[in-house]
Amino acid sequence: MNGIQLSFCIPVMNRLGDLKATLRKNLDDNIEQRSEIEFLIVCFDKNQDTSNWINANFSTELESGYLRFVQSKVLTSWHFGKAKNAFHGLTRGRIYASLDGDNFTGKNGGRHIIDVFAAHDGNCVFHQFQGDWGDGTCGRLSLTMADYDEIGYDDDFLPRQWDELDAILSTLVRHPERRYVCYTGKSITRKSHPF
């Protein structure tokens, strides 16, 4: 039976350098929970460089399913909403966690997300924004996989901006019983005037 609780979903396009800087560290930082966590990369590159590097350096993780790699059709240009929606039907976890190619999870970061959802009986939206625009954390959004599959991201938005804010709002509007969970003093409801 599938015991995967959390899917770290990493969409990349021409970001091999970022993965070289983060992927090994993220896998090592979550190794204790490898039976509960998967890292899933969907790659939109035109070439096979990222695929070749993953296969050459992570054969053990690929074989175990701790790391999974999908070569997707190429996007004509980068679009966060479309890229983040590419995980529909591919994940095995009960929690969707968005992770950019240049993000670090932190030590036991997957366990932290699982524990937050457990503390709220799965009835939450967890935003790991650290409060500073441009630091790469605003996109760190976790939803139940059911909410991700039902709502996801809006492909009609601009290629960059608003994608995670809309996903948060759409989930909370559709499911008002969900709790918005964030770090103390880091609430997007206070940091974003449009929100």
Side-chain angles (χ1 to χ4, degrees):
M1 181 173 174
N2 174 21
I4 302 297
Q5 298 295 314
L6 175 71
S7 297
F8 277 119
C9 296
I10 310 169
V12 293
M13 181 174 164
N14 304 320
R15 303 294 291 270
L16 178 55
D18 289 340
L19 287 177
K20 285 182 175 181
T22 62
L23 186 57
R24 172 55 62 199
K25 177 71 170 153
N26 284 335
L27 291 166
D28 289 348
D29 278 351
N30 291 278
I31 194 72
E32 293 173 20
Q33 291 83 37
R34 66 184 171 271
S35 64
E36 297 178 88
I37 295 170
E38 68 171 348
F39 285 81
L40 175 56
I41 298 170
V42 173
C43 181
F44 300 93
D45 291 357
K46 292 179 182 176
N47 60 47
Q48 297 296 311
D49 292 352
T50 301
S51 175
N52 293 340
W53 179 77
I54 295 282
N55 286 317
N57 291 282
F58 298 96
S59 59
T60 301
E61 293 84 354
L62 290 166
E63 283 179 27
S64 70
Y66 181 42
L67 173 64
R68 296 169 56 222
F69 181 86
V70 175
Q71 186 73 45
S72 185
K73 64 180 183 176
V74 174
L75 291 172
T76 55
S77 62
W78 181 251
H79 192 291
F80 273 107
K82 291 177 182 176
K84 291 181 180 183
N85 278 333
F87 297 88
H88 289 288
L90 299 175
T91 59
R92 297 180 298 163
R94 294 174 180 88
I95 301 167
Y96 161 88
S98 177
L99 188 68
D100 291 343
D102 60 352
N103 287 166
F104 290 97
T105 66
K107 182 71 175 167
N108 298 318
R111 166 55 51 205
H112 174 60
I113 295 170
I114 292 168
D115 289 348
V116 166
F117 274 78
H120 295 279
D121 297 321
N123 194 24
C124 66
V125 172
F126 182 32
H127 195 208
Q128 290 183 274
F129 181 45
Q130 297 296 311
D132 295 316
W133 298 115
D135 70 356
T137 62
C138 193
R140 295 288 306 275
L141 175 63
S142 298
L143 306 166
T144 65
M145 198 60 69
D147 286 348
Y148 170 77
D149 286 337
E150 176 190 0
I151 299 162
Y153 295 83
D154 191 334
D155 285 351
D156 292 330
F157 275 154
L158 296 172
R160 178 182 166 104
Q161 302 301 327
W162 314 116
D163 46 290
E164 67 279 337
L165 301 183
D166 175 71
I168 293 167
L169 278 172
S170 295
T171 302
L172 296 175
V173 167
R174 183 108 27 112
H175 297 287
E177 71 280 8
R178 299 282 186 271
R179 295 178 191 94
Y180 171 71
V181 179
C182 65
Y183 298 121
T184 303
K186 311 297 185 184
S187 175
I188 198 72
T189 63
R190 293 193 174 93
K191 289 282 187 176
S192 170
H193 295 293
F195 190 90

